Amino acid sequence: MSYVRLVNVTKKFGDVTAVNSLNLEIGKGECFSMLGPSGCGKTTTLRMVAGFEDLSEGEIYVGDRLISSPKRNFYLPPEKRNFGMVFQAFAVWPHLSVYENVAFPLRIRKLPAAEVEKRTQDALRSTNLLKVAEDSPADLSGGGKQRVALARALAINPDVMLLDEPLSSLDPHLREEMRFEIKDLQRKYGFSIIYVTHDQSEAMALSDRILVMRSGVVQQIDTPLNVYNQPANKFVFSFIGLSNFLDIVWEDGRAFVRGEHAALPASLMPPESMRGEDVLSLASRPSEIDFITEGDEQGLRGILSRKAFLGEIIDYQVKIGDQEMRVQKGRRDPGPELGEACNLRLLRPFWYAGE
Ligand SMILES: Nc1ncnc2c1ncn2[C@@H]1O[C@H](COP(=O)(O)OP(=O)(O)OP(=O)(O)O)[C@@H](O)[C@H]1O
């Protein structure tokens, strides 16, 4: 059931349409991530939900409650929305102790002293900060400071947690750890999360659903698995995970890799509906390509132009006509050597109109 609801939300800054007629429904207790290239409108969307930014058009609801509507000239102020917020910069107050950093917003809300004490202790316990409650956050590591920001957001018992790149200033190991901590806290407290990130693996690991956005327009809203396995369009395919695209051209009713003399093998024919296009794009994931031997069925033929050992996997680059394809196999798989001819089988080819 939807809890946070955005109806036809548009935001314009002068001539720039940062968010264009966005419709979204986020469930109670759901973790929902927004992904997209820089400038696609993620932060603007989050700021509109938080109440820091007016809408140009549309409405936002939480449960049955309207919180933003330019048409009705109604904006519930951010402090009345009961949202927790954690942003990229460590927004902690260095002159207050860790305890006071968490308790202060509760005092501002004029909660009774006993309630302030209880909620602060709970939030500090949940974020493993009890031991450093009397320290200054300035003495904590980046991860510690970000925990203080999380504890402060938790203490208000938020209905929704708004997280904008909350882990991006942490080192990779800590990021991974904190990602699971956030998920555990969500299970314990039951709030919804709206998460803005550049980091696909973070979005994949945390989210129930992901929104992929481009220039203020929704490209796909789906589970992480479906966004990866069934991308709605070429942009989503290229944005999520590693991708290969080969230009395919038509000549005399046959399909060729651009710059290649041999026609595509029968196993790789584009769908009937796309055969009228002049140029097509054949997409594949580097992990979904096999090297097959020359004697096997006819695959895509090329020459190995680069081979890089990346630890668990080996990354190959194969030149096909005047184009390149990347293939990734486990380090134990026998693969071709530099300069060798190879024959490729695409396990899950996707076809898109060319550009
Ligand atoms: N206050 C503002 N005034 C004018 N233009 C703005 C303002 N805030 C955002 N924009 C523009 O709106 C568009 C969307 O910006 P937004 O910050 O929402 O993107 P984003 O996807 O969050 O990007 P990033 O990942 O870099 O933070 C951009 O073109 C940006 O330049």
Side-chain angles (χ1 to χ4, degrees), residues 103-123:
F104 187 64
L106 304 177
R107 293 198 220 285
I108 300 259
R109 288 171 182 233
K110 300 205 168 26
L111 290 181
E115 184 68 14
V116 172
E117 170 73 15
K118 181 180 175 306
R119 287 201 195 185
T120 305
Q121 293 283 351
D122 273 359

Side-chain angles (χ1 to χ4, degrees), residues 11-14 16-19 36-45 47 53 164-165 196-198 213 216:
K11 177 69 188 181
K12 293 185 175 148
F13 294 104
V16 176
T17 302
V19 177
S38 192
C40 74
K42 310 177 291 284
T43 296
T44 303
T45 303
R47 287 175 56 79
E53 203 76 74
D164 191 348
E165 302 272 8
V196 165
T197 180
H198 276 107
M213 212 170 182

Side-chain angles (χ1 to χ4, degrees), residues 188-206:
K188 181 171 165 200
Y189 288 83
F191 48 78
S192 309
I193 293 179
I194 307 181
Y195 200 98
V196 165
T197 180
H198 276 107
D199 185 325
Q200 296 177 16
S201 48
E202 208 159 281
M204 295 271 180
L206 273 169

